[in-house]
Amino acid sequence: ILDDADPLWQQLQMLLDDHQKLKQRADRNFRQFSKMDQKFHTLLQAANPNQFIHQFYEIISFVFHYHYQWDKDDEKERNIVAIDEHIDIISKMLLKDFIGATLSLEKHLNTAKQSLANNAFYQH
């Protein structure tokens, strides 16, 4: 658990603000989510640095956002769901509800797994 004075708390609050702003304009700017997703996961990683996990995430992020042949038909909906899930996780973290944040993070990971599975059979 981070000390209350740790600057990561302020960065987390700014990230929450950025997510909320993106959500307000998600109908037209939903493609900006990939950058927001990277910031989110990078900040989580910074709180508990692990070089292996960091490098692994970089690979996952590249595949997930830039290489994988996603069905673009529901891209906006997928991104809006992910934005909402990030907001939920960050809000719980800022409240120091770590059990709730962990459960929300597990939900987010399950959503990502389901998105990958749903798109595994996408024919482009």
Side-chain angles (χ1 to χ4, degrees):
I1 298 176
L2 298 174
D3 182 82
D4 287 345
D6 194 300
L8 288 174
W9 289 115
Q10 184 177 9
Q11 291 176 34
L12 192 62
Q13 180 62 57
M14 289 188 300
L15 189 60
L16 176 62
D17 296 342
D18 289 345
H19 272 77
Q20 290 169 333
K21 289 174 189 170
L22 180 58
K23 181 174 172 57
Q24 291 174 356
R25 59 183 200 280
D27 280 346
R28 59 190 181 282
N29 293 349
F30 64 92
R31 288 193 176 94
Q32 292 179 352
F33 174 70
S34 61
K35 291 177 185 175
M36 189 77 59
D37 188 58
Q38 185 172 13
K39 287 180 184 179
F40 172 76
H41 290 281
T42 301
L43 185 59
L44 290 182
Q45 181 63 52
N48 188 12
N50 178 313
Q51 190 60 31
F52 173 76
I53 299 290
H54 179 71
Q55 289 175 347
F56 188 64
Y57 174 73
E58 293 295 321
I59 293 167
I60 291 170
S61 179
F62 176 75
V63 170
F64 199 84
H65 290 292
Y66 302 106
H67 181 68
Y68 198 76
Q69 297 299 308
W70 289 99
D71 178 358
K72 299 294 185 190
D73 292 342
D74 65 347
E75 180 181 14
K76 179 168 58 171
E77 291 78 16
R78 282 194 317 267
N79 286 355
I80 290 171
V81 166
I83 291 166
D84 287 337
E85 289 178 349
H86 282 193
I87 288 171
D88 183 47
I89 295 163
I90 295 168
S91 297
K92 288 176 179 168
M93 291 176 72
L94 288 169
L95 292 171
K96 298 190 170 98
D97 175 7
F98 300 117
I99 293 171
T102 300
L103 293 172
S104 294
L105 186 55
E106 287 176 6
K107 178 183 175 194
H108 180 56
L109 292 173
N110 286 332
T111 300
K113 282 192 274 187
Q114 189 61 49
S115 291
L116 282 170
N118 290 347
N119 278 274
F121 302 105
Y122 170 62
Q123 300 295 316
H124 46 278

